[in-house]
């Protein structure tokens, strides 16, 4: 097992808020960070001493970046896996590109989980309006049409409530390769966040109950409550299977619906996750620190709760202007991402409130 000791440099693909928080955790453990992104700056620029601006298609720039760091990781999954393959020929990359390929393709992701015995929503591949109409006839008219690739926080999706919605939904997603998912009747949504070391050790954080508003995560709360807790063991077992099957190294997130039939897999993210932001103050070791520990091959940290309960609330758009009131609450911890423009639907920061 390759160990990357403190004093080394971690390369991070992407310079958004997740890269920012990884860089902060890395610095606390004595690592330097170097960002690679197509933008000239971003939230991670405030905390990472080095930033390389380059395209993910630029093999020469990627090679130079890989040669300047000791291990590479990524903060989001919408990166061409070919870029990760290039980096891997020059050095250590964790997680590997295979996890990206599965997570980027919603059809591949659903089939991968089904093959492991996981329960998913009914789904069908859609490549044309005719395909969509046939899929609606098979799955039912209450469904969600999603682009097969890209899209997050509710983007690239269209709801269907009756067969006559097909054409509008197909146009709304840009008439591109898609997946139709049947509606799932569920009580609550939750996420399983784990960290897997290079030696195969897996540790889990407590599962959070997640509430979404307009397709964007609004709050994550721990403990999650009895309905979710009854399904945690089964969801964790599946998440561990996924991590092992991918030979995954780092933090991995799987989102689930708590249903009458058990946990229904929704999607996975091969990275640190918004629903795990509460772990910065709410767990003995945060998801960001344990991601750094895992990719560097050093011992994993304790994932237990550090309080009786925790609630994380995203600050979306102009909610960021509540900072003064948040700071007046001694139980609250404010995290602002350094974004200069507050827009509707944009994550500007988050606040974590501990119940001691």
């Amino acid at each position: 097992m390759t160990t990357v000791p403190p004093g080394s440099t971690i390369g991070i693909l992407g310079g958004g808020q997740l890269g920012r928080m990884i860089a902060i955790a890395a610095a606390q453990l004595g690592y330097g960070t170097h960002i690679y992104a197509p933008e000239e700056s971003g939230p991670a620029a405030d905390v990472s001493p080095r930033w390389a601006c380059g395209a993910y298609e630029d093999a020469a720039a990627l090679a130079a970046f890989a040669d300047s760091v000791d291990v590479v990781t990524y903060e989001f999954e919408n990166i061409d896996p070919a870029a990760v393959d290039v980096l891997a020929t020059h050095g250590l990359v964790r997680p590997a590109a295979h996890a990206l390929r599965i997570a980027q393709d919603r059809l591949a992701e659903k089939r991968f989980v089904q093959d492991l015995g996981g329960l998913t929503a009914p789904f069908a591949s859609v490549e044309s309006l005719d395909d969509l109409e046939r899929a609606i006839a098979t799955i039912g008219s209450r469904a969600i049409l999603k682009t097969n690739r890209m899209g997050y926080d509710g983007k690239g999706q269209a709801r269907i409530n009756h067969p006559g919605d097909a054409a509008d939904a197909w146009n709304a997603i840009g008439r591109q390769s898609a997946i139709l998912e049947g509606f799932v009747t569920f009580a609550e949504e939750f996420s399983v966040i784990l960290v897997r070391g290079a030696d195969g050790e897996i540790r889990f954080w407590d599962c959070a109950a997640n509430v979404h508003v307009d397709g964007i995560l609004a709050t994550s709360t721990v403990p999650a409550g009895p309905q979710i807790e009854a399904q945690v063991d089964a969801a964790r077992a599946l998440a561990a299977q996924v991590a092992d099957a991918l030979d995954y190294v780092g933090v991995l997130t799987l989102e689930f619906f708590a249903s009458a039939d058990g946990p229904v897999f929704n999607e996975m993210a091969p990275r640190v996750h918004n629903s795990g932001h509460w772990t910065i103050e709410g767990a003995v070791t945060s998801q960001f620190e344990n991601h750094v520990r895992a990719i560097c091959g050093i011992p994993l940290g304790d994932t237990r709760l550090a309080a009786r309960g925790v609630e994380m609330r995203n600050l979306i758009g102009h909610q960021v202007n509540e900072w003064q009131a948040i700071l007046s609450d001694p139980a609250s911890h404010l995290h602002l991402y350094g974004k200069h423009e507050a827009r509707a639907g944009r994550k500007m920061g988050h606040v974590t409130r501990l119940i001691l």
Side-chain angles (χ1 to χ4, degrees), residues 11-338:
I12 304 173
L13 299 183
Q17 63 260 25
L18 298 180
R20 178 189 181 98
M21 287 181 271
I22 293 171
I24 291 171
Q28 290 174 332
L29 292 176
Y31 292 91
T33 52
H34 189 177
I35 306 296
Y36 185 99
E39 302 84 17
E40 293 185 355
S41 186
D46 292 339
V47 298
S48 181
R50 301 172 67 189
W51 184 291
C53 179
Y56 293 125
E57 299 78 25
D58 188 336
L62 288 168
F65 174 70
D67 290 341
S68 72
V69 302
D70 298 290
V71 62
V72 175
T73 192
Y74 39 87
E75 65 136 19
F76 72 121
E77 61 269 43
N78 290 331
I79 300 169
D80 187 345
V84 178
D85 290 335
V86 170
L87 292 165
T89 65
H90 291 268
L92 184 63
V93 182
R94 290 171 169 167
H98 182 50
L100 275 181
R101 288 189 167 90
I102 296 295
Q104 285 180 353
D105 186 313
R106 287 190 169 96
L107 278 166
E109 184 182 58
K110 289 283 196 297
R111 290 166 178 161
F112 180 77
V113 168
Q114 278 193 340
D115 288 345
L116 292 173
L119 179 64
T120 72
F123 64 91
S125 174
V126 174
E127 298 293 337
S128 67
L129 179 57
D130 287 343
D131 282 349
L132 177 56
E133 290 171 342
R134 284 191 291 269
I136 291 172
T138 301
I139 290 175
S141 57
R142 293 191 70 242
I144 302 177
L145 182 66
K146 300 179 180 179
T147 55
N148 197 38
R149 291 181 174 273
M150 307 296 282
Y152 59 93
D153 289 344
K155 299 178 178 67
Q157 301 182 14
R159 288 182 176 269
I160 295 174
N161 293 307
H162 54 79
D165 293 337
D168 287 344
W170 182 238
N171 290 331
I173 66 160
R175 303 181 182 186
Q176 56 184 302
S177 180
I179 180 173
L180 184 73
E181 297 180 8
F183 272 176
V184 174
T185 300
F186 64 93
E188 294 183 88
E189 299 177 73
F190 68 101
S191 50
V192 172
I193 304 179
L194 64 82
V195 60
R196 185 178 186 273
D199 61 356
E201 179 186 3
I202 293 176
R203 296 189 181 188
F204 296 94
W205 283 270
D206 284 51
C207 288
N210 299 326
V211 174
H212 292 80
V213 176
D214 296 328
I216 302 173
L217 182 67
T219 62
S220 293
T221 305
V222 179
Q227 288 183 303
I228 290 173
E229 293 295 340
Q231 302 192 10
V232 164
D233 287 348
R236 283 182 170 177
L238 177 62
Q241 282 185 277
V242 169
D244 287 338
L246 293 172
D247 195 20
Y248 194 88
V249 178
V251 169
L252 174 68
T253 306
L254 276 73
E255 295 183 77
F256 290 91
F257 301 117
S259 80
D261 298 320
V264 178
F265 170 79
N266 181 27
E267 61 186 22
M268 72 177 185
R271 55 170 170 81
V272 292
H273 196 259
N274 192 178
S275 66
H277 289 356
W278 65 268
T279 63
I280 297 173
E281 290 86 20
V284 176
T285 309
S286 77
Q287 64 167 344
F288 301 101
E289 180 177 330
N290 258 341
H291 185 72
V292 171
R293 288 175 178 240
I295 65 172
C296 291
I298 62 177
L300 300 179
D302 191 341
T303 55
R304 288 178 300 172
L305 277 173
R308 287 193 300 113
V310 191
E311 182 189 76
M312 187 284 299
R313 177 170 66 93
N314 274 329
L315 299 175
I316 309 296
H318 292 288
Q319 290 176 350
V320 71
N321 296 328
E322 301 170 17
W323 62 267
Q324 193 163 12
I326 293 166
L327 289 173
S328 69
D329 178 3
S332 294
H333 298 266
L334 179 65
H335 297 259
L336 299 181
Y337 304 150

